[in-house]
Amino acid sequence: MTVRRDFKEPARCRPDLVIGRDELYAAAREQLTRGGSVLLHGPAGIGKSTVLRALAADYGDAARTVLRCSATESESHLPFLALADLFGLVLDEISDKLPAAQRTALESALTGRGESTLQRDGLALRLAVLSALRALAAAGPVLLVADDLQWLDSASAELLGFAARRLGDTPVQLLCAVRTEGQEYDRHLRASPPDTLAVRLNPLSSAQVSALLDHRGYTDLPRSTMREIHRTSGGNPLFALELGRALGESPTPPRPGEPLPVPTSLRALVLSRLDMLSAEARRTLLVASAGARPTLALLHAAGRENAEAETARAAELGLLTTEPEGPAVRFAHPLISAALYAEAPAQERRAAHAALSTAASDPIERARNLALATTGTDPEVAARLAEAAALSRDRGAPSVAAALGLLAARHTPPDGTPAPDQHRLQAAEDAITAGEVDLARDIAREVLTRATVAADRIRAWEVVIEAAGQALGDVDAVFPQALADAGDDPRLLALVHYHLAWRKLIVEGDFSEARQEAAHAAELAARGDDRRTELMALSFQSSTETLMGHPNAPATIKQAMKEPQDPYVACHHNGVGAARFRWLMMSDQLAEARSTITALLREVRRRGMVESEVHFQRFLAETELRSGHCGRALDLARESLRLARDSGIGLGASAMLASLAEASGGDVDRALELAREAAGRAEEDGDQMYLSRALAALGHAQLVAGDAAGAVGSLRRVRELEAGLRITDPARGRWQGDLAEALVLVGEPGEAQDVIDVTREHALRLDRESVLAVLDRAEAMVRAALGDHDAALSRLTSVQDRLAKLGYGLEEARAAFALARLRTLRPGAGPGPTSYDEAARLFRRCRALPWLRQVDEAAAQRAAAQRLAVARPQQEPSDVLEGLAAMERQVAALVMEGATNREIAARLFISVKTVEATLTRVYRKLGIRSRVDIVRLAAGRHAK
């Protein structure tokens, strides 16, 4: 019997659960599967009930009987109410299985007939609850689901705790949730079965909050607003959803510098204790909520004379957190500050800002508060805001600069100098720098509706194009309009042609045309004396030439590095520093590449350049991966992906690099998932350049996962794409060695050799030493597949030494692994000892866990083959085997050793399918029917 009691979750709750809760959900689900109990705990609104319902719905079918109760605060004074919820519907089933005294006590408690109290019937009631659970469990497993344990009536809580501690091996599990703010869940844990797992639900990340709001339909909110929702909600999903709903219903979004609108439901939830404060104390807290970094000294300077006593009282009520070692005044939750501010009348808010505009020591804070205290236009206020925005920019806070710039535009008269739209355009450019692309695009579109000055319109078009990111095909219509607005002004035309160069590369996939557009843009910029655009165009031209393998690439880089330089271009992700980094990486100068990208990353973080930080974090991860520091690369790649998801910038590229890092040092399944995500994003954006990179990552992950056929399919497509793009430098994606290796594994050594020959020609021309070494490693596998083991072994030994000198630790380890495997196949080597220790040591040094697992598996296979050879001595092949081809002889020889098809495939670097096909040919040539017949022929006996 199963009692559902309406605990099944609504269908819409399950997708919410997955957002940010998959790990803890899996842990709780595993605990229940093992027969244990689970206690979920966390603050109000954190999602405990959602997870509880999902777990109950997911696991409930495994139990014969499911009992449920959900307590409320208003009913917590009613004794035995939770007990009645749990056992009310099963009382008839179990009552005749209880002793008379226990049955009478339990029926009295559940039905209210007669008087039953813990004081009078305590022992009988305790034993009755325990006996009832045992009786139900005798017919099958029991799952008890209890929500909001903190509101459980004390009598029911006492009885359930007594039974839970004494259930022992009885198949009764508890799945409970309780509201907690800290570690006070301990008392509830003590009242649970001894094997109970306590799971705390923590706040969601910014990206998870964004995903939750997207799922609930709040998809039109700018990313900057999403981040403000995360900050205000503190990552609490209930608070975030309520804030999102309020924004969705609001006819006008909050203006820059203003907090989010807080719905009445949340105000009541967090401000119920405000009535216990005096009016003056509330004004003091309002001033604190209006300040960016309130301290007691700031409150005093703002005229709040009794700030110490008033904040102390607020801390007693739980509105503020105490800071015994610091002067900061901190609200217990960001929502308290937002709700307090939203609750205050507009006049009181302005008064608080006016006080802070003179009290604050920081000029940025003084300007911000002055703006929020002022109504209407005021040239002096606008000027101070513009100065504060410039100071924020210098401090590396472009997001703050954008907000201040928009405030400056609001306070600038229509005929002011600079004009309001000048402030808006600067704010849009600051928003781009900060990664606030939605905000930047909205500002630019607004300016374009009224701007008539060509320079302003081109600035706005540039923001629209930049905000599109890799999806330049979505703004195709912009380019003809921008060219028309630029007229014959070389400065304006240079900007448009610079972005046209990117369009040629990303949308059309034409490196040659992109290079020519970039060169034209550089010429126009030089003619118009626009050094910044000239440097950006030269940097793009040099990067394109580097990827193409164009002979002018080094000269163009030198030209881009000539003085005078522009500090912004020098550290931009498409600037000269990044172009030089790419050239260093492709030229095998890993140490210098690492120092270059580390310095660039440090600078963009100082400047607050979010988009550049995403890319440079990825570049650093790539450098560490090439150097064989797989653990470090994995950490950096995961952090880059988190930053990309949070900002909405460079998601495809970050997923691609994270896939490579996972395949080398983490989870291969995750690598496959990320590579497919990256490829999907590139195809959606129409980005041919990154599509080839994503497919190369997918092919690599498939190769590591043992799917050689899948790797061949993905990498053949990369080969076609890059041929169409006219990319000739093999150091760009470094996928050619993987393709050749996969082709050998699927039994296509001829095509593998063709890939090697074509790639080697370009690598020799461009002096790509590491690429040549990897190609030699692949060619050794080709030769081994064709039976020329001596040549293969000689080449692999050389390859390992060359890769070690170049600093490619992971590739060196792969060469050592291939060398160890080939030594087991050398003719005449027999079953003698072959060590995989060197490969294991190198992979362990790299923290290349997926590869290390492959080494362990190969070593185990070799040991098994040696044991088999000792048990059944190897026979010399009969003369009849001499008519077989080289590959057929190798397969037949391994069959004689007792190797399985899978072991043969691993040792010969071919697929199991190829082994099966080869054996079929052997059977046909020798006139036999099975593996056993091969052994008999080798022993000189006729097949029967």
Side-chain angles (χ1 to χ4, degrees):
M1 172 182 180
T2 300
V3 180
R4 295 297 178 186
R5 294 305 302 269
D6 194 31
F7 77 86
K8 269 194 171 182
E9 64 164 8
R12 65 176 177 81
C13 294
R14 295 304 300 280
D16 293 352
L17 167 69
V18 177
I19 300 170
R21 303 300 188 203
D22 39 355
E23 288 187 13
L24 68 86
Y25 185 85
R29 183 69 174 78
E30 184 179 350
Q31 170 75 357
L32 291 170
T33 303
R34 288 196 299 261
S37 297
V38 174
L39 176 66
L40 306 169
H41 65 99
I46 204 66
K48 301 179 300 298
S49 296
T50 299
V51 176
L52 183 86
R53 289 194 298 268
L55 283 168
D58 190 13
Y59 183 72
D61 291 339
R64 177 185 179 273
T65 304
V66 180
L67 309 175
R68 183 180 187 274
C69 69
S70 183
T72 62
E73 184 177 11
S74 61
E75 298 172 340
S76 60
H77 64 287
L78 300 175
F80 306 121
L81 182 61
L83 205 65
D85 283 343
L86 290 169
F87 293 105
L89 293 184
V90 296
L91 184 59
D92 292 341
E93 179 186 355
I94 60 174
S95 60
D96 61 347
K97 300 174 183 176
L98 304 180
Q102 295 180 23
R103 180 172 63 251
T104 300
L106 184 59
E107 288 177 347
S108 297
L110 298 185
T111 63
R113 295 192 299 269
E115 293 185 5
S116 180
T117 65
L118 280 179
Q119 288 74 25
R120 193 185 70 185
D121 303 319
L123 180 58
L125 270 174
R126 288 173 171 83
L127 294 175
V129 172
L130 180 59
S131 298
L133 289 172
R134 286 174 174 166
L136 289 170
V142 176
L143 177 65
L144 191 154
V145 183
D147 199 2
D148 284 319
L149 282 185
Q150 74 277 2
W151 304 132
L152 221 64
D153 65 273
S154 58
S156 296
E158 167 63 25
L159 293 171
L160 289 174
F162 175 87
R165 291 189 295 271
R166 290 164 174 79
L167 285 170
D169 295 332
T170 305
V172 177
Q173 296 170 265
L174 272 64
L175 173 59
C176 306
V178 61
R179 180 187 301 180
T180 59
E181 295 299 333
Q183 298 299 315
E184 65 270 26
Y185 71 91
D186 281 349
R187 66 184 180 89
H188 298 285
L189 194 59
R190 287 193 294 271
S192 302
D195 62 347
T196 298
L197 172 68
V199 178
R200 178 169 180 81
L201 276 70
N202 292 313
L204 300 179
S205 68
S206 178
Q208 290 163 350
V209 165
S210 178
L212 176 63
L213 290 167
D214 283 345
H215 170 68
R216 285 298 184 90
Y218 305 116
T219 55
D220 295 330
L221 298 175
R223 192 165 295 275
S224 56
T225 302
M226 291 284 196
R227 283 199 286 272
E228 184 61 21
I229 289 175
H230 176 258
R231 188 197 67 79
T232 303
S233 68
N236 185 296
L238 172 64
F239 296 171
L241 287 170
E242 286 295 299
L243 290 168
R245 181 183 60 78
L247 281 167
E249 295 174 354
S250 175
T252 57
R255 294 185 295 184
E258 293 182 348
L260 298 176
V262 180
T264 305
S265 59
L266 290 186
R267 295 188 201 182
L269 180 64
V270 300
L271 297 181
S272 57
R273 287 162 286 189
L274 269 184
D275 293 339
M276 303 176 70
L277 288 175
S278 66
E280 287 301 310
R282 290 185 63 158
R283 291 192 186 94
T284 296
L285 290 190
L286 175 61
V287 174
S289 71
R293 293 175 295 277
T295 63
L296 287 173
L298 178 64
L299 294 176
H300 278 298
R304 310 311 303 166
E305 298 177 356
N306 298 316
E308 284 93 346
E310 290 162 349
T311 55
R313 175 57 179 155
E316 290 175 4
L317 295 173
L319 294 165
L320 299 177
T321 59
T322 56
E323 295 281 349
E325 298 180 0
V329 175
R330 299 187 186 278
F331 285 89
H333 192 282
L335 189 60
I336 296 175
S337 174
L340 179 65
Y341 188 91
E343 188 82 2
Q347 184 176 354
E348 290 188 16
R349 293 188 207 172
R350 287 195 294 272
H353 286 299
L356 289 169
S357 69
T358 57
S361 59
D362 185 81
I364 295 174
E365 272 303 288
R366 288 200 301 270
R368 185 184 74 87
N369 281 289
L370 178 61
L372 295 174
T374 305
T375 58
T377 60
D378 187 322
E380 183 180 347
V381 172
R384 289 182 59 180
L385 284 165
E387 293 172 1
L391 182 57
S392 298
R393 209 171 297 121
D394 291 342
R395 288 181 180 179
S399 181
V400 175
L404 292 170
L406 291 176
L407 285 172
R410 190 203 310 172
H411 289 286
T412 300
D415 58 350
T417 303
D421 279 348
Q422 294 285 317
H423 290 301
R424 292 188 180 94
L425 287 169
Q426 181 61 64
E429 291 164 355
D430 287 330
I432 285 286
T433 301
E436 309 269 2
V437 292
D438 296 330
L439 175 63
R441 181 177 54 247
D442 291 345
I443 296 170
R445 291 287 189 188
E446 179 194 351
V447 170
L448 284 166
T449 61
R450 56 176 173 268
T452 57
V453 177
D456 290 349
R457 293 187 63 80
I458 294 299
R459 283 182 74 184
W461 286 129
E462 189 176 16
V463 169
V464 171
I465 294 169
E466 290 277 1
Q470 300 295 112
L472 285 178
D474 293 347
V475 292
D476 256 351
V478 165
F479 293 101
Q481 299 177 65
L483 283 170
D485 285 334
D488 57 0
D489 187 326
R491 290 176 64 93
L492 302 183
L493 282 170
L495 286 168
V496 180
H497 280 282
Y498 169 70
H499 291 292
L500 276 170
W502 277 105
R503 185 194 171 281
K504 289 287 185 183
L505 180 62
I506 292 175
V507 179
E508 297 183 14
D510 193 325
F511 273 70
S512 180
E513 287 289 330
R515 173 183 174 272
Q516 291 177 27
E517 281 284 4
H520 183 43
E523 292 170 6
L524 287 167
R527 201 188 317 158
D529 198 25
D530 181 357
R531 183 60 174 164
R532 173 173 290 190
T533 303
E534 181 187 9
L535 289 171
M536 290 294 288
L538 287 170
S539 298
F540 177 81
Q541 181 185 343
S542 67
S543 293
T544 306
E545 291 172 346
T546 299
L547 295 173
M548 293 172 66
H550 197 284
N552 288 358
T556 307
I557 290 176
K558 287 181 181 179
Q559 186 181 356
M561 295 180 67
K562 286 182 180 178
E563 295 295 338
Q565 284 293 313
D566 182 290
Y568 173 82
V569 177
C571 64
H572 191 274
H573 59 279
N574 289 323
V576 64
R580 182 170 179 271
F581 163 78
R582 292 186 187 94
W583 185 81
L584 288 169
M585 283 287 287
M586 296 174 74
S587 302
D588 297 326
Q589 301 181 54
L590 294 180
E592 193 171 351
R594 182 187 291 106
S595 62
T596 298
I597 199 62
T598 301
L600 287 170
L601 182 58
R602 187 184 306 118
E603 179 63 15
V604 298
R605 283 174 172 165
R606 187 188 70 79
R607 290 171 170 265
M609 299 169 68
V610 174
E611 184 173 7
S612 294
E613 181 182 356
V614 171
H615 290 295
F616 288 161
Q617 182 99 351
R618 187 179 80 252
F619 291 169
L620 182 56
E622 183 179 1
T623 308
E624 298 295 351
L625 192 59
R626 297 278 177 236
S627 302
H629 305 150
C630 297
R632 170 71 172 152
L634 185 60
D635 291 341
L636 288 167
R638 287 173 174 172
E639 179 58 32
S640 174
L641 186 58
R642 280 193 292 269
L643 185 59
R645 294 202 192 285
D646 186 38
S647 63
I649 295 170
L651 275 169
S654 294
M656 175 273 298
L657 199 281
S659 171
L660 291 171
E662 291 284 356
S664 298
D667 184 328
V668 179
D669 290 336
R670 177 66 174 150
L672 291 166
E673 178 186 339
L674 286 167
R676 292 189 177 105
E677 176 189 340
R681 288 185 179 278
E683 290 193 295
E684 183 180 335
D685 291 342
D687 186 344
Q688 298 295 302
M689 184 173 65
Y690 265 112
L691 177 59
S692 69
R693 294 294 304 274
L695 289 171
L698 177 59
H700 179 75
Q702 289 167 322
L703 181 63
V704 177
D707 181 10
V712 167
S714 298
L715 296 174
R716 275 176 176 163
R717 190 177 173 198
V718 176
R719 193 182 189 191
E720 293 170 3
L721 280 170
E722 295 206 350
L725 292 169
R726 299 181 186 176
I727 297 174
T728 61
D729 193 333
R732 186 247 182 180
R734 298 175 182 269
W735 49 266
Q736 296 85 354
D738 284 345
L739 175 55
E741 180 177 337
L743 285 166
V744 171
L745 291 172
V746 299
E748 297 288 350
E751 185 182 346
Q753 188 63 56
D754 179 66
V755 170
I756 293 167
D757 291 342
V758 171
T759 306
R760 182 178 283 133
E761 181 182 348
H762 294 300
L764 286 168
R765 174 174 60 87
L766 298 167
D767 195 26
R768 301 300 190 226
E769 284 295 324
S770 62
V771 174
L772 289 168
V774 169
L775 291 174
D776 283 350
R777 184 185 70 206
E779 189 168 41
M781 296 174 63
V782 172
R783 291 184 180 277
L786 296 174
D788 191 354
H789 287 79
D790 290 339
L793 288 169
S794 174
R795 181 158 298 196
L796 274 178
T797 303
S798 168
V799 165
Q800 184 179 345
D801 292 341
R802 287 155 58 196
L803 288 168
K805 289 176 182 176
L806 289 169
Y808 284 78
L810 183 58
E811 299 294 351
E812 176 196 356
R814 287 181 64 178
F817 185 27
L819 188 60
R821 293 171 72 176
L822 277 179
R823 281 173 177 156
T824 68
L825 304 174
R826 189 172 185 177
T834 300
S835 175
Y836 284 91
D837 291 348
E838 173 70 0
R841 181 185 68 80
L842 292 174
F843 281 130
R844 195 173 292 111
R845 183 183 69 183
C846 294
R847 286 183 57 192
L849 301 182
W851 289 102
L852 192 58
R853 284 190 287 271
Q854 289 193 34
V855 173
D856 291 341
E857 185 177 327
Q861 290 174 356
R862 177 60 180 170
Q866 287 177 335
R867 287 193 298 271
L868 184 61
V870 171
R872 185 177 62 192
Q874 183 177 355
Q875 303 290 331
E876 288 295 328
S878 64
D879 294 340
V880 73
L881 297 183
E882 293 180 358
L884 300 179
M887 174 65 75
E888 294 164 353
R889 287 178 60 83
Q890 291 178 49
V891 171
L894 288 170
V895 168
M896 288 186 291
E897 290 183 17
T900 66
N901 286 2
R902 182 179 178 82
E903 291 167 347
I904 295 170
R907 293 167 68 180
L908 292 180
F909 301 98
I910 58 178
S911 68
V912 173
K913 196 170 182 179
T914 302
V915 173
E916 293 169 351
T918 303
L919 282 173
T920 299
R921 292 196 300 272
V922 170
Y923 299 157
R924 186 175 64 251
K925 288 183 179 181
L926 299 181
I928 59 178
R929 292 176 298 179
S930 70
R931 296 165 60 94
V932 174
D933 292 337
I934 295 178
V935 177
R936 288 171 176 167
L937 281 175
R941 296 192 297 269
H942 295 291
K944 295 181 180 179

